[in-house]
Amino acid sequence: MSYKRVKMVGANCPSCQKKLEILLKDPSQEVLCVCFRCREIYLFDGQAIQRMPAGKAATKQEKNGLAGLVQALPEKDHYKGRGSQLRQQAFGYQRSWLSLAEYERQFGEEIGFNQCDLRDDTASCKWCGQILPKGRRSFCKDSCSRNYSKATFTKRHMASLPYRIACRDRFFCQISGADLAQYNRHGIRIPASNGDMAIHHLVYVSQNGTDYEQNLLTVSSEIHRAYHAGDAKTVARVHEIRDQRLEKFAGRMQFASSEKQDRGDE
């Protein structure tokens, strides 16, 4: 198969809003769109985007053909590497964060920010806000500790690495300043996402960008969409931060091309 890959302005995944990759065969045939994040395949008729049902996909393109669709892309579009790199699956790519152990092995240092205390007054309970009894440092009673742990660990729905980055940035968007933390039933701000947060790679994964903490930025979903849609002000601000960090951490924020090639799809 012979496909070419282009990004069409305004063509975004209906599920995650990531800009779709448009894989064109030729003008007379259907246009297939692939979201590498959701691993969904869409049909594009020039005006509307529709998800391709599994049955239809099997009918129009045999499974082997769809798997070969990604293989047919130029070598530069095949993302390879560890951890943060996109890993090829049967019908697209799957994103995987580095584990904390792999982060330490890969970069030779631990990632900090494991203690995220958003309290304005350290004499108050992290969960209910009541003044702490004598001898207690974080919670006024054990039930508050359990509720806090459940909200910030058991049910936080975030991998450990991006969670540490959000803790570093204290759950604020680093571009707009929007508050991205969750508020519990007591009105207390706790270190858990409110569902409107994204962790952005300053150097794209597809450009050999790593999961090094200086390559990651906490932003709101709105800012993330605006950046990938090409909003001039948002792009300028994000690139300003990227360029400042690259001056100090370029060697860790980006794999060398030869190193990435050597890593392969391990």
Side-chain angles (χ1 to χ4, degrees):
M1 290 181 293
S2 177
Y3 288 85
K4 66 177 181 178
R5 175 183 179 183
V6 297
K7 289 187 177 182
M8 296 189 66
V9 177
N12 295 80
C13 175
S15 299
C16 70
Q17 302 302 315
K18 181 178 177 63
K19 189 173 290 186
L20 290 173
E21 307 292 344
I22 312 297
L23 304 174
L24 299 171
K25 290 184 70 173
D26 63 60
S28 66
Q29 298 185 3
E30 284 185 320
V31 175
L32 296 178
C33 309
V34 177
C35 178
F36 287 160
R37 176 179 294 168
C38 299
R39 293 189 292 160
E40 291 285 356
I41 300 173
Y42 299 92
L43 292 176
F44 182 61
D45 62 8
Q47 295 182 343
I49 293 175
Q50 296 180 335
R51 179 179 282 111
M52 178 184 285
K56 187 175 181 181
T59 301
K60 284 187 169 289
Q61 290 275 23
E62 294 183 357
K63 291 184 178 181
N64 290 340
L66 285 175
L69 180 150
V70 177
Q71 290 282 7
L73 294 174
E75 178 62 27
K76 66 182 181 64
D77 292 329
H78 284 255
Y79 306 153
K80 299 177 181 179
R82 294 178 179 172
S84 69
Q85 305 304 299
L86 301 173
R87 294 177 180 272
Q88 186 177 329
Q89 303 294 323
F91 299 103
Y93 291 92
Q94 184 176 22
R95 174 73 169 78
S96 177
W97 288 99
L98 290 178
S99 67
L100 296 182
E102 177 61 21
Y103 182 98
E104 182 178 353
R105 191 203 65 76
Q106 191 169 116
F107 299 112
E109 63 183 62
E110 293 183 1
I111 185 169
F113 327 113
N114 58 330
Q115 297 296 326
C116 191
D117 189 346
L118 302 183
R119 292 177 295 178
D120 293 326
D121 182 3
T122 56
S124 63
C125 176
K126 286 183 178 181
W127 181 252
C128 69
Q130 298 295 319
I131 298 300
L132 294 173
K134 185 177 181 180
R136 286 186 175 261
R137 297 182 179 180
S138 299
F139 304 99
C140 62
K141 51 185 178 292
D142 291 343
S143 61
C144 285
S145 176
R146 289 193 295 271
N147 288 330
Y148 184 89
S149 295
K150 184 183 296 184
T152 60
F153 181 75
T154 309
K155 295 185 177 181
R156 73 185 182 200
H157 304 298
M158 289 182 69
S160 295
L161 180 53
Y163 182 76
R164 297 284 182 96
I165 299 304
C167 287
R168 178 198 68 187
D169 296 333
R170 298 187 63 77
F171 286 81
F172 284 108
C173 175
Q174 298 303 290
I175 303 300
S176 67
D179 188 351
L180 305 175
Q182 187 179 127
Y183 285 76
N184 67 12
R185 63 177 180 268
H186 300 288
I188 303 299
R189 189 170 184 264
I190 61 174
S193 170
N194 64 2
D196 192 35
M197 185 176 70
I199 302 298
H200 175 68
H201 282 78
L202 295 171
V203 178
Y204 290 164
V205 171
S206 59
Q207 297 172 343
N208 299 6
T210 71
D211 272 354
Y212 186 61
E213 57 111 350
Q214 290 295 326
N215 193 41
L216 303 175
L217 192 71
T218 304
V219 295
S220 68
S221 298
E222 180 181 1
I223 289 294
H224 204 215
R225 287 192 294 269
Y227 175 83
H228 286 289
D231 178 74
K233 290 184 178 180
T234 303
V235 170
R237 179 59 184 138
V238 171
H239 286 182
E240 180 184 355
I241 296 174
R242 180 197 64 188
D243 294 342
Q244 289 174 352
R245 294 189 182 183
L246 279 172
E247 290 181 2
K248 294 183 179 180
F249 306 104
R252 296 189 173 214
M253 289 173 61
Q254 190 171 25
F255 289 126
S257 297
S258 58
E259 180 184 358
K260 183 184 178 188
Q261 186 66 31
D262 291 342
R263 288 176 182 274
D265 278 330
E266 299 177 6

